[in-house]
Amino acid sequence: MFFVFLLYGVLSEYDLLEKASREGFFYRQVAIEDVAACPRDGFCLTVEGVTYHFRRLERSDVRFGAVSGGYTITLTPDPAFSAYRLFVRDADTVRRIEMTTRTATVRDPGTIVSLQIVAVGAAGPVVVWQKEVRSAPFPEWKGDFISSVNAIRKKAGAPPLSADESLRPAARKALERIRGGVVVHYDGREGSIMHSGLRVAPIGENLFIAATVERAWLMMISSPTHLFNILDPSFRRCWVEQDVPSAGGMVRGAMLFAGPRQ
């Protein structure tokens, strides 16, 4: 069971995070602000004459190092989080490692694409750090989420997902949580997907806010945690619920995954 989210409001925010990672800044829980001058000890980028400050919203410290045959990741946790998970994307698979010690060693046979750390807090999981190791082609958008998901699952050897409308009420509740523009997997009033009335296992949830559905797809397959749900072979059913945006508005959506019917 794992729930993950995406929140990149416009194209430039996603691109700025990618540019920042190429400059050695891999943290993802940030507020990106245009400033007249970069704050002391802050991380900033200047793009097309505008200086952007990447203000961190949490205090995890991640140190990455290369060793013979792989990598080491040393984590100093933020007390606000109760757990950390490392997601490792290989060519067509994603594996999850519970970070029960401060240092993790990951072997790389030459296939690792990216590494991502997710922290679990009161509002659910959040991506705090991500590093691209090598480039990989993006799976093609097939015109809708189910077709696109099943194409990449087929390549990975996972069984296809079927669209199941019985998941729709839970997906609507998940969508309601993000209509205010804040993407969380848990709130005090509605709870989480675990409080939706679904009585199935396993179950998973991807949430997104993006400029277009194609953009949401790009961001999900670029995020190892989202890709983990997309490729999980234990899932057999799926439902996607999304808002139809007004002109110039954002697409908000919830993608639910579930195991086979009992």
Side-chain angles (χ1 to χ4, degrees):
M1 176 181 64
F2 197 71
F3 315 136
V4 286
F5 72 87
L6 289 165
L7 177 56
Y8 295 122
V10 294
L11 176 65
S12 61
E13 291 178 353
Y14 180 80
D15 289 343
L16 285 170
L17 284 169
E18 294 303 300
K19 289 178 183 293
S21 69
R22 290 194 289 271
E23 297 296 326
F25 184 87
F26 305 114
Y27 295 102
R28 292 297 174 120
Q29 281 295 297
V30 296
I32 304 176
E33 308 158 326
D34 59 283
V35 295
C38 189
R40 184 179 180 182
D41 299 326
F43 177 84
C44 296
L45 280 179
T46 300
V47 181
E48 298 179 355
V50 179
T51 299
Y52 296 96
H53 175 223
F54 292 68
R55 179 169 56 87
R56 293 194 57 198
L57 302 177
E58 49 81 34
R59 296 183 294 164
S60 307
D61 182 73
V62 181
R63 303 298 172 96
F64 173 84
V67 295
S68 178
Y71 314 102
T72 60
I73 297 172
T74 301
L75 168 72
T76 301
D78 182 330
F81 298 120
S82 60
Y84 286 84
R85 292 162 180 154
L86 171 64
F87 287 78
V88 181
R89 180 189 172 188
D90 289 281
D92 296 314
T93 62
V94 181
R95 51 197 166 104
R96 181 176 68 191
I97 301 170
E98 299 291 334
M99 296 196 71
T100 56
T101 60
R102 291 200 172 192
T103 300
T105 300
V106 180
R107 310 304 299 175
D108 183 6
T111 59
I112 289 180
V113 174
S114 56
L115 302 163
Q116 189 183 72
I117 294 176
V118 168
V120 182
V126 294
V127 177
V128 297
W129 183 92
Q130 180 171 331
K131 179 176 175 58
E132 307 302 316
V133 175
R134 53 178 56 87
S135 61
F138 289 112
E140 181 183 356
W141 170 250
K142 299 292 186 179
D144 65 83
F145 283 111
I146 300 295
S147 299
S148 301
V149 165
N150 280 336
I152 191 173
R153 285 173 69 90
K154 181 178 181 181
K155 185 178 179 182
L161 299 178
S162 60
D164 187 346
E165 198 165 357
S166 71
L167 302 175
R168 189 175 190 181
R172 283 179 169 174
K173 284 188 176 182
L175 182 58
E176 195 64 37
R177 292 200 306 272
I178 67 174
R179 279 189 170 136
V182 179
V183 181
V184 295
H185 291 278
Y186 178 88
D187 66 45
R189 184 183 64 179
E190 296 290 338
S192 72
I193 191 177
M194 301 303 294
H195 307 94
S196 64
L198 287 176
R199 296 292 181 266
V200 295
I203 190 169
E205 175 185 82
N206 284 356
L207 305 177
F208 60 84
I209 298 177
T212 65
V213 290
E214 294 92 339
R215 184 72 175 164
W217 171 249
L218 170 65
M219 292 188 292
M220 280 195 283
I221 61 176
S222 300
S223 170
T225 45
H226 294 79
L227 195 57
F228 182 83
N229 275 348
I230 288 171
L231 296 178
D232 191 334
S234 66
F235 294 140
R236 302 299 175 86
R237 298 177 291 143
C238 183
W239 186 263
V240 181
E241 193 74 11
Q242 65 190 54
D243 279 337
V244 178
S246 58
M250 305 298 289
V251 179
R252 293 172 171 82
M255 179 182 289
L256 264 62
F257 304 87
R261 288 183 177 274
Q262 302 299 318

